[in-house]
Amino acid sequence: LLDSAVKANDGFFTTFFVSPYSKYVARWAARGGWTPNQVTTVSLGIGVLASIAFATGARGGLIAGAILLQIAFMTDCVDGQLARYTRTFSRLGAWLDSIFDRTKEYAVFAGLAIGASRTGDPAWVLAGSALALQTVRHAIDFSYPIAQHQALASARQPPIEQPSDGTRARLDVEPPPEAVAAPRGPLTARVVRSAFSVWRVLDRQPGARWLKKIVAFPIGERFAVISITAAIWDARITFIVLLAWGGGATVYKFAGRVLRSVMR
């Protein structure tokens, strides 16, 4: 039951560096009568404390902020694990989790920028660029499933008694390339089919699944990068790494969304 509380499709950092111990924190929280929304709120508070520590700009503040940010992320993992462990799901909880994640991340960006400015190294342009990039990434992540659900809702549905009315009609199941109508134009069709075939072949390679998750730069990897670079170096290095890795992840995810949309 405890292992079932861990999300199966989490990122690499979360799966191997946080979930092995956070699930026990989730069990402790369940025994203490905590609710997932309470844990989510605590995570937000710790994240705000991390941003305040970063805002000092001092080496001790950067190290303290890095530690607090990891505690905040661990607590953020606990709320979902607690919800699965106790079977207490809610739409409010899902919304709060998403909003508070964004709030913590943006507050940390602000804290790092303020701290850098106080030490005579203004990094406001880098901070603003990282914030804008992350906003675009969130827009890509949230708008794609909404568009897919809208397309499904507006599509003509087959009768219930029709035998083919099964999993092939679901948007969360990838259809085989040969079963999908190719885009018009011979060259475009060949290119898209080839790219989609390569994408599916890579999924079957050992370790490719985890590599793709790392490249996508999910929140666990982002918070790990922020903590490590801020504690060892400074805010400027943190923003440069976020922009470099985040930019590549944006191109990767956007290309994947476009490819899947065209094939469907």
Side-chain angles (χ1 to χ4, degrees):
L1 179 61
L2 185 59
D3 287 334
S4 67
V6 178
K7 190 187 297 184
N9 61 342
D10 260 332
F12 178 85
F13 181 80
T14 304
T15 299
F16 293 101
F17 293 93
V18 180
S19 292
Y21 68 89
S22 64
K23 61 184 180 182
Y24 296 104
V25 180
R27 183 171 62 182
W28 171 84
R31 291 175 175 174
W34 287 76
T35 67
N37 289 351
Q38 288 173 336
V39 176
T40 302
T41 304
V42 170
S43 176
L44 173 64
I46 299 174
V48 171
L49 290 177
S51 69
I52 294 173
F54 283 136
T56 64
R59 176 56 53 194
L62 293 174
I63 295 174
I67 295 173
L68 286 170
L69 183 59
Q70 288 308 300
I71 297 175
F73 179 66
M74 181 274 295
T75 311
D76 183 47
C77 294
V78 167
D79 63 2
Q81 293 168 351
L82 177 61
R84 288 183 288 274
Y85 185 73
T86 59
R87 299 296 189 268
T88 52
F89 304 100
S90 69
R91 293 184 178 181
L92 174 62
W95 179 76
L96 287 178
D97 185 56
S98 176
I99 293 299
F100 285 0
D101 279 350
R102 308 291 81 75
T103 303
K104 283 182 292 190
E105 192 163 16
Y106 296 163
V108 165
F109 285 3
L112 287 168
I114 293 171
S117 181
R118 294 184 66 178
T119 58
D121 183 23
W124 292 107
V125 174
L126 289 173
S129 300
L131 177 61
L133 176 62
Q134 196 53 46
T135 301
V136 170
R137 294 193 62 213
H138 291 322
I140 294 173
D141 288 339
F142 287 107
S143 62
Y144 179 77
I146 292 175
Q148 296 302 307
H149 284 300
Q150 289 175 341
L152 177 62
S154 61
R156 180 179 178 274
Q157 301 298 322
I160 295 178
E161 67 274 9
Q162 184 169 326
S164 62
D165 186 21
T167 56
R168 290 263 309 269
R170 292 169 49 193
L171 285 177
D172 58 343
V173 176
E174 292 288 357
E178 63 274 9
V180 183
R184 293 183 179 179
L187 179 59
T188 303
R190 288 198 299 270
V191 171
V192 172
R193 283 185 181 278
S194 298
F196 194 74
S197 298
V198 170
W199 192 281
R200 291 172 64 85
V201 168
L202 288 176
D203 280 339
R204 294 192 290 268
Q205 300 303 312
R209 172 173 171 263
W210 293 116
L211 179 60
K212 290 172 66 175
K213 285 181 175 291
I214 293 172
V215 170
F217 206 26
I219 188 169
E221 275 70 8
R222 293 199 303 273
F223 278 13
V225 162
I226 291 173
S227 294
I228 293 171
T229 56
I232 297 177
W233 294 287
D234 54 27
R236 178 171 293 274
I237 297 297
T238 298
F239 288 129
I240 290 174
V241 175
L242 287 173
L243 286 168
W245 194 343
T250 302
V251 174
Y252 166 77
K253 297 196 78 172
F254 183 78
R257 297 291 191 264
V258 170
L259 182 61
R260 285 188 173 90
S261 298
V262 170
M263 288 303 297
R264 282 170 179 161

